[in-house]
Amino acid sequence: MLIKIILTIVFLLVTVGVGIYSRRQASTVDGFVLGGRNVGGWLTAFAFGTSYFSAVVFVGYAGQFGWKYGMSASWIGIGNAIIGSLLAWIVLGKRTRLMTQHIQSRTMPDFFGTRFGDEGLRVVASVIAFVFLIPYTAGVYMGISKLFEMGFGVPYEYCAMTMAALTAVYVILGGYKATAINDFIQGIIMLFGITTVIAVVLNSQGGLTEAVSKMAELTPNTDDLTQKGSALYAAFQPGDFASWFGPNPLSLFGVVVLTSLGTWGLPQMVGKFYSITDEAAIKRGTIISTIFALIVSGGCYFLGSFGRLFVPTAFNAEKGKFVYDNIVPTMLETLPDFLIALVLLLVLSASMSTLAGLVLTSSSTMTLDLIYRDKKALAGEVVDGEIDDIAAEKIERRKVVVMRVLIVFFIVISLMIALNPPQFIAQLMGISWGALAGAFLAPFMLGLYWKGVTRMAVWACFIWGVGLTVVNMLMGNSILNPIDCGAVAMVGGFVVVAIVSLVTPKLEEKKVDNIFECYKPS
């Protein structure tokens, strides 16, 4: 216990120290939100990766999908690396940086408002982002608190409140630059932690070969077959939990789509490309981010795929339902104290970086795109034909203060949901990612490449992504489970944008050409 306490305290002191160190660079809006658009490839790559993977993945997704799909759950991690990281950087990185700097966009809602010339899009997008980032944040609190409850014996509620307070402190102090530096430190811990834990866990089962053999002998148990959706295992064959594609390849594919393609449309992920320095940094970041994702995400799902060897059942007879979120913590209970401390730091690192990105994105979106929408105010107020720089500085400081207040507000709401969660971690994330990426992914990506995207097409995609997610949720997820619903919302968004763009009035050609000037060689 002493080892765990000492390591955790040191980690938290370093985290807060980085916030204090970075506070001078967080006095302006650009500094607080984007780190002055001067963040290098290494920091951006680690910021992207650590924001991507958190306790939601390590505890919620790895446990649930490892239980459902066995060793084939490792494909989710591979998909996260190839689709969610490599292709995301290749397809979005350069074009996002160039266009957002050209149109002076600082957030995703700001991009929609400026790119398509519609203030209504900016306002509605900011509300969507704020509302649907809340369940995702609540899921992160749940994941980290469950592990801390296991490691320290501290009640879940106290863990969640402590993490919320610490995240608020260093984000409020240092903004994006503090978040990026901490992400780098936390990323190193994650890389070392996941590789070490996998080695120890497999060794406890007699090594990789022996563990795979044990998985091949497993079959669905009674609790699996009595649950809603038991048809998933109707055609189960012995050995499926150790096979390449598991007992349900189609369902597995839906998870890969949601967790991989979803990053392309999440404001807190795409925002990383806004702040990177230059094209050389993008090339470095692409490679680093992909390797990071392969090790961390691939490692998490690979570890979770052996959950059935440690947990006799995930069914809670008292509650009458599965408790997937307890699988990974139960797997790790038998580890030596030092390794439990390492796991706690791993998940703490992943979660605090994700929380920082989420709260910073939500607060900046609400401040810049809803409360202060007038971009002219960023340059100062005009007095007798002259720019009043003093007034401009006051406005900048006022915006930063508002963002800091909203950070606290956002954290409090998310914490309230985490203390009384209506869903499992994976379902909370599915709802959040489905609505956000379902609404934003298609119009954002196509808006970077295709001049023909219309204003009405963006509105239609907003309605599609949010509407499908909310209707499905209000109907008790009776149409689709939240994860499959999210995947359908994302992919369907491209069809919606393409069809509506072909039959609705085009934007003014001259304005669109001016926006795409940024892609012409200088």
Side-chain angles (χ1 to χ4, degrees):
M1 181 61 72
L2 181 61
I3 293 173
K4 289 184 282 190
I5 292 174
I6 291 174
L7 288 177
T8 303
I9 290 175
V10 170
F11 171 83
L12 295 176
L13 288 175
V14 170
T15 299
V16 175
V18 170
I20 295 172
Y21 168 77
S22 307
R23 70 188 187 281
R24 291 182 180 177
Q25 301 178 48
S27 58
T28 65
V29 173
D30 262 356
F32 192 81
V33 177
L34 300 174
R37 294 189 189 265
N38 191 33
V39 182
W42 278 88
L43 288 183
T44 303
F46 272 74
F48 187 91
T50 54
S51 294
Y52 194 166
F53 311 115
S54 66
V56 170
V57 172
F58 190 78
V59 178
Y61 271 24
Q64 177 168 336
F65 300 131
W67 183 272
K68 285 185 173 182
Y69 308 122
M71 294 190 62
S72 65
S74 300
W75 284 109
I76 305 172
I78 296 172
N80 292 172
I82 296 175
I83 302 172
S85 294
L86 177 63
L87 291 180
W89 278 73
I90 292 174
V91 175
L92 300 179
K94 178 180 176 180
R95 295 185 79 89
T96 298
R97 175 183 170 273
L98 290 174
M99 184 174 284
T100 56
Q101 289 193 7
H102 179 65
I103 64 177
Q104 298 181 350
S105 168
R106 290 166 164 170
T107 65
M108 186 177 275
D110 189 16
F111 171 87
F112 289 126
T114 307
R115 164 69 176 84
F116 299 102
D118 190 336
E119 282 298 304
L121 287 175
R122 187 196 313 275
V123 172
V124 171
S126 67
V127 173
I128 293 173
F130 189 84
V131 170
F132 286 98
L133 283 175
I134 290 175
Y136 185 12
T137 309
V140 177
Y141 284 134
M142 289 170 61
I144 191 171
S145 299
K146 284 182 179 294
L147 270 187
F148 262 72
E149 187 175 35
M150 177 272 292
F152 287 97
V154 178
Y156 166 86
E157 293 79 9
Y158 294 121
C159 294
M161 289 187 284
T162 302
M163 292 307 102
L166 289 168
T167 305
V169 168
Y170 89 80
V171 177
I172 288 172
L173 283 174
Y176 182 75
K177 197 59 177 286
T179 301
I181 296 173
N182 272 322
D183 287 349
F184 183 78
I185 298 170
Q186 293 158 359
I188 298 295
I189 296 173
M190 290 168 66
L191 290 171
F192 177 72
I194 192 64
T195 52
T196 303
V197 171
I198 289 174
V200 174
V201 168
L202 289 180
N203 185 62
S204 72
Q205 293 294 319
L208 176 60
T209 303
E210 182 65 21
V212 173
S213 297
K214 291 179 180 179
M215 288 296 296
E217 296 172 359
L218 294 176
T219 58
N221 58 27
T222 305
D223 296 331
D224 289 320
L225 299 173
T226 56
Q227 292 302 295
K228 180 182 178 182
S230 60
L232 295 178
Y233 297 103
F236 182 88
Q237 299 295 320
D240 273 1
F241 285 128
S243 65
W244 279 98
F245 300 108
N248 196 325
L250 185 60
S251 177
L252 175 64
F253 179 72
V255 178
V256 173
V257 171
L258 176 76
T259 61
S260 302
L261 194 60
T263 61
W264 298 34
L266 298 179
Q268 76 275 16
M269 301 299 296
V270 175
K272 302 294 187 290
F273 300 131
Y274 286 42
S275 58
I276 199 164
T277 51
D278 50 40
E279 291 182 31
I282 292 176
K283 292 178 181 179
R284 288 194 300 273
T286 303
I287 298 170
I288 298 164
S289 178
T290 303
I291 295 173
F292 183 91
L294 192 61
I295 295 173
V296 174
S297 183
C300 285
Y301 287 107
F302 182 69
L303 177 66
S305 68
F306 294 98
R308 285 177 180 265
L309 300 181
F310 293 83
V311 187
T313 179
F315 186 72
N316 186 312
E318 183 180 340
K319 295 184 178 180
K321 63 181 181 180
F322 281 104
V323 187
Y324 295 117
D325 300 341
N326 292 339
I327 294 175
V328 171
T330 304
M331 288 176 67
L332 303 175
E333 281 181 340
T334 57
L335 293 178
D337 282 345
F338 175 75
L339 284 178
I340 289 181
L342 183 61
V343 170
L344 292 175
L345 288 184
L346 185 163
V347 180
L348 181 61
S349 299
S351 300
M352 290 190 71
S353 58
T354 302
L355 288 171
L358 290 170
V359 299
L360 190 58
T361 299
S362 62
S363 67
S364 60
T365 293
M366 289 295 286
T367 302
L368 301 178
D369 301 314
L370 196 60
I371 299 174
Y372 291 98
R373 300 200 308 273
D374 186 4
K375 284 190 173 185
K376 294 179 180 179
L378 297 175
E381 296 178 345
V382 179
V383 180
D384 296 329
E386 299 292 334
I387 298 295
D388 186 348
D389 290 331
I390 296 177
E393 186 176 342
K394 287 181 179 179
I395 292 171
E396 289 280 285
R397 285 200 301 266
R398 195 181 308 148
K399 290 180 180 180
V400 173
V401 169
V402 172
M403 280 190 275
R404 285 172 167 149
V405 171
L406 285 173
I407 284 174
V408 176
F409 176 69
F410 182 85
I411 286 177
V412 169
I413 294 177
S414 303
L415 183 59
M416 290 172 64
I417 295 176
L419 294 177
N420 187 27
Q423 302 273 351
F424 293 121
I425 292 173
Q427 277 64 42
L428 284 176
M429 188 173 172
I431 292 169
S432 177
W433 282 40
L436 290 169
F440 295 160
L441 170 57
F444 181 81
M445 177 181 162
L446 294 177
L448 294 174
Y449 281 87
W450 182 25
K451 294 182 179 180
V453 179
T454 66
R455 188 178 295 115
M456 290 304 299
V458 182
W459 278 111
C461 198
F462 284 6
I463 295 170
W464 158 258
V466 174
L468 178 62
T469 304
V470 172
V471 169
N472 188 54
M473 182 174 62
L474 293 177
M475 294 181 67
N477 302 315
S478 59
I479 304 174
L480 292 165
N481 70 61
I483 295 158
D484 291 342
C485 182
V488 170
M490 292 177 204
V491 176
F494 286 96
V495 178
V496 171
V497 171
I499 293 176
V500 176
S501 292
L502 293 174
V503 297
T504 54
K506 306 297 180 185
L507 296 171
E508 186 178 333
E509 185 176 352
K510 185 177 180 181
K511 289 183 178 179
V512 175
D513 287 341
N514 180 57
I515 290 173
F516 277 77
E517 281 286 329
C518 60
Y519 296 144
K520 291 184 178 179
S522 56

